[in-house]
Amino acid sequence: MNFHTRKWIKPEDLNPNGSLFGGSLLRWIDEEAAIYAIVQLGNPRVVTKYISEINFVSSAKQGDIIEMGITAIAFGNTSLTMRCEVRNKITRKSILTIDRMVFVNVDEYGNPVAHGKTEIKFIEEQFAAEDN
Ligand SMILES: CC(=O)SCCNC(=O)CCNC(=O)[C@H](O)C(C)(C)COP(=O)(O)OP(=O)(O)OC[C@H]1O[C@@H](n2cnc3c(N)ncnc32)[C@H](O)[C@@H]1OP(=O)(O)O
């Protein structure tokens, strides 16, 4: 799993107990997964369909640097299923895991449409294909 996006936990990200607010983390993950799906499926119109159990493994605190990892685990006809992990960038301690996040490829009317993709595409491959 590649960990692309990093976040520096700031005061506005905290809950009243002083640790990272789960809602902030979920917002970041939803956006991260959407961007991953957009890149993989080559379509800016993808929507979150389903998120499985969310395991808040450990908390993060102000000043921590965290990183978010997403990887595709299944390509359906219109859907893409991903797995997610968030961890502390310095200690590598796991903060959150989500086994399945399903995004659906939709057309301009919001209807599911086949994406035609079957495997993970790496950015380097995409550029190489465009250069040829
Ligand atoms: C990034 C964002 O913030 S998006 C905003 C939040 N998300 C939304 O607003 C989406 C709201 N939901 C919808 O618009 C609709 O449910 C849609 C368009 C996503 C899907 O419509 P549906 O009528 O369920 O479509 P359909 O039954 O054809 O299923 C589409 C795909 O989703 C999969 N799917 C449907 N329900 C589920 C489910 N509960 N769990 C997992 N996958 C599911 C199907 O298996 C199918 O995948 P496949 O084509 O790869 O086999």
Side-chain angles (χ1 to χ4, degrees):
M1 180 180 294
N2 288 323
F3 289 81
H4 289 296
T5 300
R6 300 149 184 192
K7 289 275 183 188
W8 191 24
I9 307 303
K10 298 193 280 303
E12 62 265 31
D13 306 321
L14 304 180
N15 61 39
N17 297 321
S19 60
L20 174 60
F21 180 48
S24 301
L25 187 51
L26 293 179
R27 180 189 174 99
W28 299 336
I29 289 166
D30 194 31
E31 183 172 339
E32 184 75 6
I35 293 169
Y36 184 100
I38 287 166
V39 171
Q40 290 299 323
L41 303 182
N43 178 12
R45 293 190 199 93
V46 297
V47 292
T48 317
K49 175 62 191 176
Y50 174 84
I51 300 179
S52 75
E53 291 88 350
I54 300 162
N55 186 353
F56 288 92
V57 180
S58 67
S59 60
K61 59 182 189 314
Q62 185 174 328
D64 283 353
I65 297 167
I66 66 168
E67 54 185 4
M68 292 184 272
I70 306 271
T71 194
I73 55 172
F75 287 80
N77 182 38
T78 66
S79 68
L80 174 66
T81 305
M82 293 160 278
R83 191 162 61 80
C84 170
E85 180 170 10
V86 178
R87 67 185 185 187
N88 183 297
K89 166 122 190 87
I90 309 297
T91 66
R92 298 282 168 97
K93 189 174 178 187
S94 183
I95 292 169
L96 170 147
T97 59
I98 304 176
D99 288 340
R100 288 176 65 224
M101 296 182 78
V102 180
F103 277 63
V104 175
N105 192 61
V106 297
D107 63 17
E108 69 245 62
Y109 308 107
N111 299 317
V113 60
H115 51 63
K117 304 289 192 294
T118 55
E119 60 183 24
I120 295 177
K121 188 162 215 169
F122 296 98
I123 295 291
E124 296 76 21
E125 291 172 15
Q126 247 163 285
F127 284 126
E130 282 166 19
D131 289 345
N132 291 331

